[in-house]
């Protein structure tokens, strides 16, 4: 399953103040988001005013405000934006459906049967999410499928909530780095003319140490920060919702068959709705009911859409801001500068990592970043002797670190948003800052990236293609 990015030609725009004027709106956005994240506020709606302010500042600083406006609209209307928003909405509706039909209570019943503790559930969550992400090749799909099921269940069991959220996004990161059908794997390998199979095999030496580091870290943090579980877990558990297990299984099956994200989620929603009605798990008045007195309509579908509104508008505004940065040509200037500075193989590896890091941090999109730096990485690597597999691995390492750690990136915001699924059971949300801090899988990959650059980890095997 792949999210295709349509690269639309953007008009070139210039800002008063040169590079500083170009970056100033983005710095306002980043500092505002980090400030809100540090305050512990988990609701992404709080990021809306910051993004509006950043766009307004960009408009004031841009020399051609008509072109700036066109770039903003173009950024908002990208195909990838609509795909993501559709995914947020459908996944949120499915999450509400699974809650209403008693699936969380069924998972609680299962954990009670196997006597799984809250700390044990965190470790199990990481393993489950690794398997799902490896199967689907999508970090987004993993977060969307697993969060509404595992987060409330772990919360009821008394799991350490930041570790639980970190385990979900950590498992999602695992597949994004190593899965054969991952966008990141495909883009990084093909952009460097590396064989996907050989590239994946070479990544085992990175992903296994990082996963082991994550597994131990989740175990230690969860064991030392056990919360209080609901006293009568057995009384809360109820196996009647177990048939709903077929819903995520069906969605994963569709993804494994290569179906489109919309196809998998929409069919999963329709299947889940029919299944829950057949088994008597969902009253029909939860599907749709007219409230004549208050001139409104009530439905679990409406509740799901409302839950996705914050994240959806955040995505629209963020991609608009990123489009202005891309249209300024700043990234192209950075790539040209790095190409001129790289003189040796070790220098080339350092500049590939640096430029890729800057591209990810400034575009907030790993695939877009890979596309931007692909030509520089290939030509510089070939000129200075960096093997194609190693180049692909360096790109993927960076793509699976920052977007899953830093609180203004969509995967982190998405995971924080999905912790709203615990509200039904009075389970608190986790902030974007906590989500990133407890994603031990990405921290493990960061550690491997540092070891790779300093000590040349894995260089011998990566020379074979």
């Amino acid at each position: 399953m792949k999210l295709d990015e349509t690269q639309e030609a953007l008009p070139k725009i210039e800002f008063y103040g040169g590079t500083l004027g170009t970056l100033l709106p983005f710095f306002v956005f980043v500092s505002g988001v980090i400030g809100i994240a540090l305050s512990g506020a988990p609701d992404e709606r709080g990021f809306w005013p910051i993004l509006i302010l950043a766009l307004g500042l960009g408009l004031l600083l841009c020399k051609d405000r008509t072109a700036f406006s066109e770039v903003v609209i173009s950024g908002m209307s990208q195909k990838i934006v609509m795909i993501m928003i559709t995914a947020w909405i459908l996944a949120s509706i499915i999450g509400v459906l699974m809650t209403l039909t008693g699936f969380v209570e069924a998972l609680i019943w299962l954990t009670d049967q196997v006597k799984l503790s809250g700390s044990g559930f965190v470790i199990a969550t990481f393993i489950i999410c690794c398997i799902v992400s490896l199967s689907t090749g999508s970090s987004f799909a993993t977060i969307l499928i697993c969060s509404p099921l595992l987060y409330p269940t772990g919360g009821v069991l008394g799991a350490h909530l930041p570790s639980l959220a970190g385990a979900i996004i950590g498992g999602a990161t695992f597949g994004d780095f190593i899965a054969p059908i991952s966008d990141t794997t495909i883009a990084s390998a093909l952009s460097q003319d590396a064989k996907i199979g050989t590239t994946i095999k070479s990544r085992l030496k990175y992903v296994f140490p990082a996963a082991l580091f994550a597994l131990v870290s989740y175990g230690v943090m969860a064991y030392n920060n056990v919360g209080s579980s609901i006293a009568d877990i057995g009384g809360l558990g109820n196996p009647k919702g177990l048939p709903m297990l077929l819903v995520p299984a069906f969605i994963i099956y569709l993804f494994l068959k290569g179906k489109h994200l919309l196809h998998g989620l929409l069919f999963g929603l329709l299947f889940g709705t029919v299944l829950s009605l057949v088994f008597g798990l969902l009253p029909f008045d939860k599907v749709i009911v007219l409230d004549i007195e208050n001139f409104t309509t009530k439905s679990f579908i409406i509740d799901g859409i409302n839950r996705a509104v914050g994240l959806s508008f955040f995505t629209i505004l963020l991609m608009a801001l990123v489009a202005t940065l891309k249209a300024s040509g700043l990234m192209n200037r950075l790539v040209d500068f790095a190409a001129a500075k790289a003189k040796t193989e070790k220098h080339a590896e350092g500049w590939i990592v640096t430029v890729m890091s800057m591209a990810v941090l400034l575009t907030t999109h790993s695939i877009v970043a890979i596309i931007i730096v692909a030509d520089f990485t290939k030509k510089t690597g070939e000129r200075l002797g960096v093997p194609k597999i190693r180049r692909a691995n360096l790109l993927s390492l960076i793509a699976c670190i920052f977007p899953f750690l830093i609180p203004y990136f969509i995967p982190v915001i998405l995971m924080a948003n999905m912790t709203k699924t615990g509200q039904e059971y009075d389970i608190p949300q986790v902030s974007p800052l906590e989500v990133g801090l407890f994603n031990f899988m990405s921290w493990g990959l960061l550690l491997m990236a540092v070891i790779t650059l300093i000590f040349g980890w894995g260089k011998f095997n990566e020379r074979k293609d």
Side-chain angles (χ1 to χ4, degrees):
M1 180 187 59
K2 295 173 278 294
L3 301 181
D4 296 318
E5 176 72 25
T6 302
Q7 296 294 306
E8 183 179 338
L10 297 174
K12 186 76 163 36
I13 56 177
E14 296 180 355
F15 292 83
Y16 294 109
T19 300
L20 179 61
T22 302
L23 289 173
L24 192 57
F26 197 79
F27 287 154
V28 167
F29 159 67
V30 172
S31 59
V33 168
I34 291 177
I36 291 174
L38 287 173
S39 73
D43 191 353
E44 62 281 345
R45 293 170 188 253
F47 301 146
W48 294 355
I50 305 299
L51 280 162
I52 292 294
L53 176 62
L55 287 170
L57 180 60
L59 182 63
L60 287 173
L61 292 173
C62 189
K63 295 179 179 179
D64 186 341
R65 289 166 183 162
T66 299
F68 181 91
S69 301
E70 291 295 330
V71 168
V72 166
I73 298 302
S74 178
M76 290 179 171
S77 59
Q78 293 175 82
K79 179 181 177 181
I80 186 65
V81 176
M82 291 301 103
I83 290 175
M84 288 191 291
I85 291 176
T86 302
W88 308 160
I89 291 173
L90 291 175
S92 293
I93 297 171
I94 292 171
V96 173
L97 174 66
M98 300 299 280
T99 300
L100 290 175
T101 52
F103 184 70
V104 173
E105 287 83 353
L107 285 181
I108 294 169
W109 178 83
L110 278 176
T111 56
D112 185 53
Q113 298 303 302
V114 299
K115 308 303 179 186
L116 194 63
S117 64
S119 55
F121 191 83
V122 172
I123 295 173
T125 293
F126 176 65
I127 295 172
I128 290 169
C129 291
C130 284
I131 295 171
V132 173
S133 66
L134 189 61
S135 302
T136 63
S138 171
S139 55
F140 283 162
T142 302
I143 294 170
L144 294 171
I145 293 169
C146 295
S147 299
L149 314 179
L150 301 178
Y151 185 79
T153 306
V156 170
L157 292 172
H160 181 232
L161 296 180
S163 294
L164 182 61
I168 295 172
I169 194 173
T173 308
F174 178 91
D176 202 53
F177 181 72
I178 195 70
I181 55 175
S182 160
D183 283 359
T184 305
T185 300
I186 294 169
S188 61
L190 296 186
S191 70
Q192 302 307 308
D193 293 332
K195 296 177 182 177
I196 290 179
T198 312
T199 302
I200 291 169
K201 184 179 178 181
S202 75
R203 290 184 181 179
L204 297 178
K205 62 182 173 292
Y206 299 107
V207 77
F208 282 162
L212 180 61
F213 169 81
L215 196 62
V216 172
S217 299
Y218 287 126
V220 171
M221 291 301 300
Y223 181 79
N224 291 323
N225 295 278
V226 178
S228 57
S229 62
I230 293 177
D232 184 18
I233 291 178
L236 181 59
N238 191 326
K240 71 175 185 178
L242 284 176
M244 296 302 290
L245 182 62
L246 294 172
V247 177
F250 179 60
I251 294 173
I252 292 173
Y253 167 77
L254 291 175
F255 288 159
L256 289 175
K257 298 293 287 185
K259 303 303 181 184
H260 193 278
L261 186 64
L262 173 64
H263 182 160
L265 290 175
L266 187 54
F267 264 32
L269 173 60
L270 295 174
F271 173 68
T273 303
V274 173
L275 186 69
S276 59
L277 290 172
V278 169
F279 279 89
L281 300 173
L282 182 70
F284 190 79
D285 61 2
K286 293 292 184 180
V287 178
I288 188 167
V289 64
L290 300 179
D291 185 352
I292 304 300
E293 292 183 2
N294 295 308
F295 302 100
T296 188
T297 303
K298 295 181 179 179
S299 169
F300 79 91
I301 296 174
I302 296 174
D303 293 339
I305 293 174
N306 287 336
R307 183 183 288 177
V309 166
L311 181 60
S312 297
F313 277 100
F314 170 81
T315 302
I316 291 171
L317 294 171
L318 175 60
M319 296 308 284
L321 182 63
V322 168
T324 65
L325 201 61
K326 289 165 61 180
S328 71
L330 179 63
M331 283 308 307
N332 292 332
R333 295 197 296 273
L334 175 62
V335 166
D336 293 340
F337 174 81
K341 291 294 182 180
K343 303 296 182 183
T344 67
E345 181 181 351
K346 194 171 184 65
H347 283 167
E349 291 183 0
W351 277 110
I352 288 169
V353 168
T354 300
V355 174
M356 178 61 185
S357 298
M358 292 298 297
V360 169
L361 291 170
L362 293 174
T363 65
T364 73
H365 195 298
S366 56
I367 304 303
V368 173
I370 289 173
I371 292 171
I372 289 174
V373 306
D375 190 57
F376 155 75
T377 301
K378 184 178 179 180
K379 290 181 179 178
T380 303
E382 288 177 345
R383 178 167 59 89
L384 297 173
V386 181
K388 59 182 71 173
I389 291 179
R390 189 165 183 81
R391 300 196 304 262
N393 288 341
L394 290 174
L395 294 178
S396 272
L397 277 169
I398 302 305
C400 292
I401 293 172
F402 296 119
F404 297 92
L405 291 179
I406 300 178
Y408 69 81
F409 279 85
I410 289 175
V412 178
I413 299 293
L414 172 62
M415 184 63 245
N417 175 269
M418 295 304 287
T419 62
K420 290 180 180 179
T421 56
Q423 291 176 345
E424 183 84 10
Y425 305 92
D426 296 323
I427 299 168
Q429 285 183 248
V430 175
S431 71
L433 182 64
E434 290 175 305
V435 169
L437 285 175
F438 285 86
N439 180 0
F440 296 120
M441 184 67 207
S442 283
W443 287 115
L445 289 174
L446 177 60
L447 181 62
M448 295 308 301
V450 172
I451 293 173
T452 296
L453 286 178
I454 295 177
F455 300 107
W457 177 266
K459 205 175 255 190
F460 175 74
N461 289 338
E462 289 168 332
R463 292 192 182 278
K464 301 175 182 178
D465 189 6

